[in-house]
Amino acid sequence: MQDMIQSIISEDLVAAMDANLVEYWSAFGLAPGRTWHRSKKVAWFYTGISAAILNGVLFAQLSSESLEKTVKSLAAKIAEQGVQAIWWISPASKPPNIGALLEEHGLQPVGDAPAMAIDLSKLDDKPQEIPHFRIIKVDNPELEAVWAQILNIGMGFSEDIAAEVVKLIASRAVPLYQIQHLYVGFVDDEPVATSAMLLDSGLAGIYAVATLPQARRRGIGKSVTVTPLIEARNLGYRVGILQSSQMGHSLYEKIGFVDVFKYANYLQS
């Protein structure tokens, strides 16, 4: 078992959160026909799918010169395929003035994404019971396709983008559910919610939490977030993390997550 992050106040937490984020998105950048670049100083991916979050720089500890080189490398992909990309800038990113340098290169700040963590020992292990609701862990290609479809609808992607994401997820030689833990929430026999968990860098990272509009405000989003975390705790993990949207922030606080820092996001067009 990898070395666990023991506490939400660990001095290694920020670096581990960055590493978990990189590993989650690597599954998409490494898919056939996509671009994945990783070194000790930078990690970026480009799927070419027309949603900026599906393309971008995940980790950067660069000099001013190598930052410019990375901007140009990504710009070449954008010029070729016409899809914007997001840079994720954390407290560990370098150089220290990286935000200002990105703006000098024409990138635009597009807000912050709270990076949150939870002490799993304090997690409520008795999630709210929701009538007719159950969560199934993905273990076959058919259910993986359902997961992808519900995720896309819950995220508000267009039909064209959704079709591309489904194709991307299905294209991997090793199915996504064998790399990550994927979950689908059902009301009766209707899929209505998704989540994903990546166990990496000593952390349980929660991703892809999405609920269909008609199933919201019933505790379903909380359930598909908490269920994987309980599983992680049973496996010996001490800390769970996620990157929150503004809409989901209050929900995650109620679960027990606290803000660690904020990713500053920059858009490269």
Side-chain angles (χ1 to χ4, degrees), residues 4-266:
M4 298 296 177
I5 299 297
Q6 299 295 318
S7 166
I8 62 173
I9 60 172
S10 168
E11 62 182 14
D12 299 321
L13 181 59
V14 172
M17 293 174 82
D18 280 347
N20 194 282
L21 179 74
V22 169
E23 288 303 321
Y24 176 77
W25 287 110
S26 70
F28 298 85
L30 288 166
R34 317 298 169 168
T35 300
W36 174 248
H37 176 85
R38 185 173 187 178
S39 69
K40 292 182 178 179
K41 299 296 184 181
V42 67
W44 63 270
F45 75 118
Y46 197 83
T47 67
I49 297 174
S50 299
I53 195 172
L54 298 174
N55 311 274
V57 177
L58 305 164
F59 172 79
Q61 291 189 340
L62 302 164
S63 65
S64 298
E65 294 76 15
S66 55
L67 182 141
E68 181 176 5
K69 181 179 179 180
T70 300
V71 169
K72 289 181 177 179
S73 295
L74 198 53
K77 282 292 179 183
I78 294 171
E80 176 186 340
Q81 300 188 43
V83 177
Q84 300 172 321
I86 294 286
W87 286 60
W88 293 76
I89 304 304
S90 83
S93 300
K94 296 178 182 178
N97 62 337
I98 186 170
L101 290 175
L102 291 175
E103 291 188 50
E104 288 180 12
H105 287 295
L107 278 72
Q108 297 295 321
V110 288
D112 300 322
M116 308 182 77
I118 185 171
D119 180 342
L120 294 181
S121 69
K122 298 179 180 179
L123 186 68
D124 181 2
D125 60 1
K126 295 181 180 179
Q128 171 189 351
E129 290 189 11
I130 304 168
H132 308 289
F133 179 71
R134 60 197 171 100
I135 296 174
I136 296 179
K137 191 170 183 180
V138 175
D139 62 359
N140 61 71
E142 292 74 24
L143 194 53
E144 181 185 60
V146 172
W147 179 88
Q149 291 161 0
I150 299 304
L151 172 64
N152 281 292
I153 298 171
M155 295 292 290
F157 288 155
S158 69
E159 289 186 9
D160 289 344
I161 292 175
E164 285 296 313
V165 174
V166 170
K167 185 190 302 181
L168 168 67
I169 290 171
S171 69
R172 291 186 55 85
V174 178
L176 190 62
Y177 62 85
Q178 293 185 14
I179 303 168
Q180 302 171 4
H181 301 252
L182 308 182
Y183 307 82
V184 181
F186 289 81
V187 173
D188 293 323
D189 293 325
E190 293 296 321
V192 298
T194 65
S195 62
M197 180 172 67
L198 178 65
L199 302 175
D200 187 84
S201 304
L203 296 169
I206 299 297
Y207 298 89
V209 177
T211 307
L212 298 190
Q214 66 270 25
R216 292 172 184 166
R217 301 186 182 280
R218 296 169 58 183
I220 288 174
K222 177 180 179 181
S223 186
V224 294
T225 303
V226 170
T227 296
L229 292 173
I230 293 172
E231 181 179 334
R233 185 175 64 186
N234 292 339
L235 291 171
Y237 286 80
R238 303 290 186 87
V239 176
I241 64 161
L242 52 76
Q243 300 85 43
S244 174
S245 65
Q246 295 303 320
M247 181 174 67
H249 191 261
S250 61
L251 165 65
Y252 299 132
E253 284 186 321
K254 290 176 183 176
I255 292 172
F257 282 91
V258 297
D259 290 343
V260 178
F261 63 89
K262 290 185 177 180
Y263 281 102
N265 292 139
Y266 290 82

